[in-house]
Amino acid sequence: MSKYISLTEDEKDTILSLDIFRSVKKGTILLKRGQKSRDEYFVLKGCIRKYYITDGEEKTTAFFTEMEGLTPHCAINNTPSEYFVSCVEDTILTVAHIDIGVELFIKFPKLQLMCKVLSNELLAKQQLNFDEFKIASPEERYLNLLQNRPDLIQRVPQHQLASFLGMIPQSLSRLRARIMEKSKE
Amino acid sequence: MSKYISLTEDEKDTILSLDIFRSVKKGTILLKRGQKSRDEYFVLKGCIRKYYITDGEEKTTAFFTEMEGLTPHCAINNTPSEYFVSCVEDTILTVAHIDIGVELFIKFPKLQLMCKVLSNELLAKQQLNFDEFKIASPEERYLNLLQNRPDLIQRVPQHQLASFLGMIPQSLSRLRARIMEKSKE
DNA sequence: TAAAATCGTTATCTTAAGATAAGAAAATGA
DNA sequence: TCATTTTCTTATCTTAAGATAACGATTTTA
């Protein structure tokens, strides 16, 4: 964190005293559908994945890697979760009750403005992502991902990428083959 | 606003003194691509639309109706806008410099926690929308919209709805015909 | 009010994605 | 290490979306 903001010793101590750091194995499920949890996650190293299961099919809608945080919908609204969260790789992350975030927020005023600015930026980024997704065709979405998050294509299984891109694994495979063909010419 | 939070006279005066209320005609363009503006919008009555133009084609990615706010990406990052914003209907809205929001935020501490909570909720809603969009087929997206925002289908032109749903107008038209056929049986 | 532009639908053809099946390659685990 | 499971690819068939064109209907505006 000190990469991003400078903290006093007091602040560091407070954060460390919370004992929220976890190291979890690949495949571990952090949150299941129907579960009520008020925890939020922040990835320090590794990758976690958010997915739905409909008709027995996994539908991946987001990945979170280094320095990205996931505050599940269920933690905000205090309702059972609609989706699952699991680890794509061995992952080190913080797991903290959502109110701890609010406590920190109250204790350290200088975090407050940062929070507004950050959450605005996050919201804006989220919206741009959504816009891009809507505007692009499946093939363009894959090419965009290749541009913007080449790491994901390396570290995440194809079938999870596929549903993240809004298609089935076979279509992604075919699409990749088609692109390879084109680039040969 | 007093529908949502109770305000003191002081607070009301401050807000009214800002003189940010605007009444704009249908079709008015509030923001153009390339323009640098630091204004954010909040719709009191009517409907505004956010859209891109690529290869001369309009691509609508969002609508904002009563009690919904749009803080453009360009206002947050202070960069030229990538997209356009225009009025779908005659609309009454507030137009305010983004810093005014921050000023209010600083002046009235009780807005601060609300802001964190609200922006978290907004972010969560945004993410759920995105998830839904990714998971659903074009036809399912239309049926979802019919469920969740039936007003939009009434008040917005078909071709704008189409790109909002990620397809061309002819496909939406065909899809609607297909649904009508099915429901007849 | 008349001409022009915009809008929604329908039809045909083309292209690509979904469904299903099957086989090869890689990873996992006992 | 070897068997099992998972993952990725390829192929065929079906279905639906994109491209293009054309035609009224509606709206705009000159």
Side-chain angles (χ1 to χ4, degrees):
Chain A
M1 275 180 85
S2 43
K3 242 191 193 169
Y4 291 80
I5 45 172
S6 56
L7 296 169
T8 65
E9 286 305 314
D10 178 30
E11 287 164 340
K12 278 185 196 163
D13 289 348
T14 306
I15 288 166
L16 284 172
S17 74
L18 295 172
D19 182 34
I20 54 183
F21 297 94
R22 298 269 180 283
S23 179
V24 282
K25 279 254 164 263
K26 176 176 176 175
T28 307
I29 294 179
L30 297 169
L31 177 66
K32 292 188 184 180
R33 182 181 46 212
Q35 201 174 318
K36 275 185 109 175
S37 156
R38 306 225 58 197
D39 287 337
E40 49 187 9
Y41 310 97
F42 188 80
V43 177
L44 297 169
K45 176 142 187 43
C47 178
I48 64 177
R49 171 174 76 103
K50 168 176 146 187
Y51 59 102
Y52 295 74
I53 298 185
T54 55
D55 317 312
E57 293 272 299
E58 284 188 8
K59 307 264 191 174
T60 300
T61 57
F63 296 102
F64 301 85
T65 58
E66 285 76 16
M67 298 312 283
E68 293 181 337
L70 165 58
T71 302
H73 194 254
C74 66
I76 293 171
N77 294 62
N78 200 13
T79 54
S81 178
E82 295 106 30
Y83 49 78
F84 296 76
V85 176
S86 81
C87 298
V88 174
E89 310 168 343
D90 292 353
T91 299
I92 298 168
L93 39 65
T94 66
V95 181
H97 193 281
I98 192 170
D99 289 345
I100 289 180
V102 175
E103 265 173 45
L104 281 180
F105 186 77
I106 289 168
K107 185 155 184 191
F108 306 117
K110 80 170 164 191
L111 286 180
Q112 294 188 12
L113 253 188
M114 193 184 87
C115 174
K116 176 169 167 62
V117 173
L118 277 187
S119 71
N120 262 344
E121 272 177 19
L122 193 60
L123 194 59
K125 202 191 279 179
Q126 183 80 14
Q127 280 172 350
L128 282 190
N129 268 339
F130 196 177
D131 289 353
E132 253 183 46
F133 191 92
K134 271 189 179 173
I135 287 174
S137 67
E139 183 167 331
E140 289 167 332
R141 292 202 283 264
Y142 175 75
L143 291 172
N144 284 344
L145 194 67
L146 207 57
Q147 280 284 328
N148 304 329
R149 301 286 318 257
D151 60 306
L152 275 188
I153 293 177
Q154 297 308 319
R155 68 205 289 189
V156 164
Q158 295 288 322
H159 66 282
Q160 291 175 10
L161 267 187
S163 71
F164 178 64
L165 291 169
M167 64 185 100
I168 63 176
Q170 292 90 329
S171 295
L172 177 55
S173 192
R174 176 168 44 192
L175 182 155
R176 280 157 61 97
R178 201 164 58 226
I179 290 172
M180 290 290 280
E181 268 314 301
K182 276 186 200 162
S183 66
K184 249 190 238 167
E185 290 163 18
Chain B
M1 275 180 86
S2 43
K3 242 190 195 171
Y4 291 80
I5 44 172
S6 57
L7 297 169
T8 65
E9 285 305 313
D10 178 32
E11 287 164 341
K12 278 185 195 164
D13 288 348
T14 306
I15 288 167
L16 284 173
S17 74
L18 296 170
D19 184 32
I20 52 180
F21 298 93
R22 298 269 180 284
S23 178
V24 283
K25 279 254 164 263
K26 175 176 176 175
T28 307
I29 294 179
L30 297 169
L31 177 66
K32 291 188 185 180
R33 180 179 50 210
Q35 201 173 319
K36 274 186 110 176
S37 157
R38 307 224 58 198
D39 286 337
E40 50 186 9
Y41 311 98
F42 188 80
V43 177
L44 296 169
K45 176 142 187 43
C47 178
I48 65 177
R49 171 174 76 104
K50 168 176 147 188
Y51 60 102
Y52 295 74
I53 298 184
T54 55
D55 316 312
E57 293 272 299
E58 285 188 8
K59 308 263 191 174
T60 300
T61 57
F63 296 101
F64 301 84
T65 58
E66 285 76 15
M67 299 313 283
E68 292 182 337
L70 165 59
T71 302
H73 193 254
C74 66
I76 293 171
N77 295 61
N78 201 13
T79 54
S81 179
E82 295 106 30
Y83 48 78
F84 296 76
V85 176
S86 81
C87 298
V88 174
E89 310 168 345
D90 292 352
T91 299
I92 299 168
L93 40 63
T94 66
V95 181
H97 193 282
I98 191 171
D99 289 345
I100 289 180
V102 174
E103 265 175 45
L104 281 180
F105 186 76
I106 289 169
K107 186 153 183 192
F108 305 118
K110 79 170 164 190
L111 287 180
Q112 294 186 13
L113 253 187
M114 192 184 87
C115 174
K116 177 167 165 65
V117 172
L118 277 187
S119 71
N120 262 342
E121 273 177 16
L122 193 59
L123 195 60
K125 202 192 279 180
Q126 183 80 13
Q127 280 172 351
L128 282 190
N129 267 341
F130 196 176
D131 289 353
E132 252 183 48
F133 191 91
K134 271 190 178 171
I135 287 175
S137 68
E139 183 167 331
E140 287 167 332
R141 292 204 282 264
Y142 175 75
L143 292 172
N144 284 344
L145 195 68
L146 207 57
Q147 280 284 328
N148 305 328
R149 301 286 318 259
D151 60 306
L152 276 189
I153 294 177
Q154 297 308 317
R155 67 205 290 190
V156 165
Q158 293 289 320
H159 67 282
Q160 292 175 9
L161 265 186
S163 69
F164 177 65
L165 291 168
M167 65 185 100
I168 62 177
Q170 292 88 329
S171 295
L172 176 56
S173 194
R174 176 168 46 191
L175 182 155
R176 281 157 61 96
R178 202 164 59 224
I179 290 171
M180 290 290 279
E181 267 315 301
K182 276 187 201 162
S183 66
K184 249 190 234 166
E185 289 162 18

